[in-house]
Amino acid sequence: MKMNRALLLACLASSIAMASNLRAAEPEKPAAPAETKSALVSLEVARTTALEKVPGGVLSSEELSRLGRKLIYVFDFRVEGQKGVDVVTVDAGDGTVLEVKHKTEWAARRDAQAKRRKRG
């Protein structure tokens, strides 16, 4: 009986340690409603800027996040004939495009699952 308790406690401690490491590795946090007001660039302007970087793209998701001390908009676009999504990151302060990258279907699903777990 003592062996089972010790094993259970060891498993619990390792899973808590792993969960805290996962949280520390994720740099993006969902923006609070008050932060939406502090974004100098509107969502519509940022969306238009992002769409220019992905011609023929169809918007599949958008969000306002915080990356360090910066507010950013993150847009996911699906392009017909391509697998995966194109992710465009726009600075909410000045409207410049920070990054455009392509994620495979697998990576997009993995990230979506991680966000759901983090929120739930």
Side-chain angles (χ1 to χ4, degrees), residues 81-103:
Q82 286 186 357
K83 293 182 178 180
V85 293
D86 289 337
V87 180
V88 181
T89 307
V90 178
D91 188 338
D94 60 9
T96 58
V97 175
L98 300 174
E99 183 179 36
V100 179
K101 68 179 179 179
H102 181 79
K103 283 188 182 178

Side-chain angles (χ1 to χ4, degrees), residues 7-90:
L7 183 60
L8 179 63
L9 288 175
C11 289
L12 182 62
S14 67
S15 64
I16 290 172
M18 288 175 50
S20 65
N21 287 340
L22 288 176
R23 283 191 208 120
E26 296 174 5
E28 293 186 18
K29 298 177 188 173
E35 291 176 338
T36 304
K37 294 179 182 176
S38 66
L40 299 177
V41 177
S42 70
L43 178 63
E44 292 78 23
V45 171
R47 187 184 305 128
T48 304
T49 304
L51 189 54
E52 291 172 358
K53 296 294 181 182
V54 185
V58 176
L59 185 66
S60 62
S61 74
E62 59 189 21
E63 69 177 286
L64 178 64
S65 295
R66 182 170 288 282
L67 182 63
R69 292 182 168 218
K70 257 187 186 178
L71 279 177
I72 58 170
Y73 290 108
V74 181
F75 299 96
D76 291 351
F77 293 97
R78 295 212 176 262
V79 179
E80 190 172 329
Q82 286 186 357
K83 293 182 178 180
V85 293
D86 289 337
V87 180
V88 181
T89 307
V90 178

